[in-house]
Amino acid sequence: MKILTVEQTRTLDQYTIEHEPIAPINLMERAAQAFTDWYTARFDKSRPVRVFCGLGNNGGDGLAIARLLTQLEYSVQTYVVRYAPRESDDFMHNHRRLKLISSINYIENERDIPVIRNREVVIDAILGSGLSRTTEGIVQAVIDAINHSPATVVAVDIASGLFTDTANGPNSTIIQPDYTVAFHLPKLAFLQPTLGLYVGEWHWVDIGLSRVFIERTPTTYFYTTEQEARHLLRPRNRFSHKGSFGHALLLVGSYGKIGAGVLSARACLRSGVGLLTVQMPRCGYEILQTTVPEAMCLPDGHLHILSGQSELEAPELSSYSAIGVGPGIGTAPETLAMLRKLLSEAKKPMVIDADALNLIARNRDLIDKIPKNSILTPHPKEFERLTRRWSSDYDKLGILRDFAQRNQFVVVLKGAHTAIATPDGTTHFNSTGNPGMSTGGTGDVLTGILTALIAQGYDPVEAAVLGVFEHGRAGDRAAEHHGPIGLTASDIIEALRWD
C-alpha cells in the first residue's frame, strides 16, 4: 500500500472528483459515511458524543459525521471553533444541512469551551492533513481542553495539530487521540515512534478514491499489508526436496548467550530452509544438538566464543545459500577477527544482526567489506552507532534511506512499524507486531527467519519485507494466545505459519 504526501493526496482527491466523476460535497459525504460506519461498529448510543469542528474541509467532515450520528439517534453535541473569518464552501454546505436537524454551538473564546465528561466520546475534526503551521489561540485552548479531559477521543483523518509528513515544532499543541480513522491511505506521521501519542490506535477506511491515480503516482514510502505479503510468498512444488530450499549457515552464540543461537536456528528451520548448519562455541555443542536436532553443528575451535576456526572441516562459504551472523556472538577480539575474515570472503548477501553490527560500528572499515544487498537488522540504538544521532523521526528516515542507498544494503530498522530501507531508495513500513515482542530474543528469531528466506532464493528486499511481516504476524498470534505481557521469543517461533 502506498503512502502519499499531503500534496499527492490533495491531487488524488481532485483527480477522483474529476474522473469518477463525483461532486466534492458527495465525496465528503462518502468519507463521513465511512467514518460513521467505523464509529457505530465500536461505540453504542449510550455514550454521548461531542464533535469539534474547524472551518475547513476537515470541519465539514465533522459536521457531516455529526448529522449522520444524529440521524442514527446518537446523543450528539456539535461545536464549531471560530479561529478564522471564513469557512470553506463544503463546510458551509454541511453546516446548513446539520442546522436543519440540530443546534450548533460556537467557540470563539475560552469561556465557550464545554466541560467534557468521562463517558463522552470526543470526535476531533478541527484541523486536517493540510496543516502547515503550529496551532495557536482558541484552537490551542480547545485542544488543551480535550487533551485534559477524561473522554475517549477519535480523530477524523489525522489529529488536529499534527503535521502529516514533516516534523512538528518542539512546543506544538496536538490532539492526543485514542483512535485515528484515516481516509483511504495511511499517513507517514502514523508510523513514527515519537508520534504515537498523537495517533493512538489507527485505522483506515476506504472512501473510493481513484485506484488508477494511486497506481500511477510514484512514492518512496510503502505500508506492507497482508495482501502484499501474500503476493511475495512462493508456493512449493510437489516434487521439491530439501536441496530445493537452500543450505543456510548461522554463526551465533557465546558463553552465556547460546540461547540466542538456539532461537535463530529454530526460527530458521521453522521458516522453510532445506538444510541448516550452525557454527557456535564448543560450550554450545550439546545444547544445540539436544534442542535443535534438525540442525547440523560446527563446533568452534574456541570453548566460549566464536573465533571462526571450526573443530571439524568446514565447507567453503560458497557452498552455503545464505549466511546469518550476529545473535549472541559478543565482541571479543577473536570474534572481530572472525567477522573481518567472514566479510572479506563472503560473496553473497548476508543477514547481519546484534553484536556483528556493534563490531562493525566500532570498526567502520568493515562497512565497505559487507556484500552488497546484505540485510542489516539494527534496533534504533544500534543504528545510531552505525550512523549518527537524529533530531526527529523524519531526520532518522532520511539517514536510514541515505545509509541504505549509499552502501547498497537492505536495512531493517526494528521497532513498531519496522522500517525497511532498500538500495533503490524506497522504505517499507510493517503492519504487524505488538508491544509484547519487546523482549529478549525476538531479534534473534528475525535473523533466523531472514536467513532462511535468503537461502530459499528470495530477493533480499522481498525476504526483508515478507520476513518482517511474518515475524510480526507470528508475534500477534502468540500475543492472542499468551497475552502481550508474558510473550517470549520461543512463542513467536511456535506461532510461525507460512500459509
Side-chain angles (χ1 to χ4, degrees), residues 3-25:
I3 302 171
L4 304 183
T5 66
V6 172
E7 201 55 48
Q8 287 174 324
T9 302
R10 189 178 291 118
T11 307
L12 168 61
D13 289 346
Q14 192 58 39
Y15 184 94
T16 303
I17 289 167
E18 293 174 0
H19 290 80
E20 184 170 338
I22 183 173
I25 192 64

Side-chain angles (χ1 to χ4, degrees), residues 231-247:
H231 286 156
L232 294 175
L233 187 62
R234 301 175 183 176
R236 293 202 159 187
N237 188 299
R238 183 178 184 85
F239 297 101
S240 56
H241 51 84
K242 64 184 178 183
S244 305
F245 305 116
H247 185 178

Side-chain angles (χ1 to χ4, degrees), residues 33 96 163 193 218 229 240-241 265 325 327 360 375 399 408 432 481:
Q33 186 64 62
R96 288 191 294 270
F163 295 169
S240 56
H241 51 84
V325 60
I360 291 167
I375 302 177
I399 296 169
Q408 292 293 288
T432 58
H481 185 70

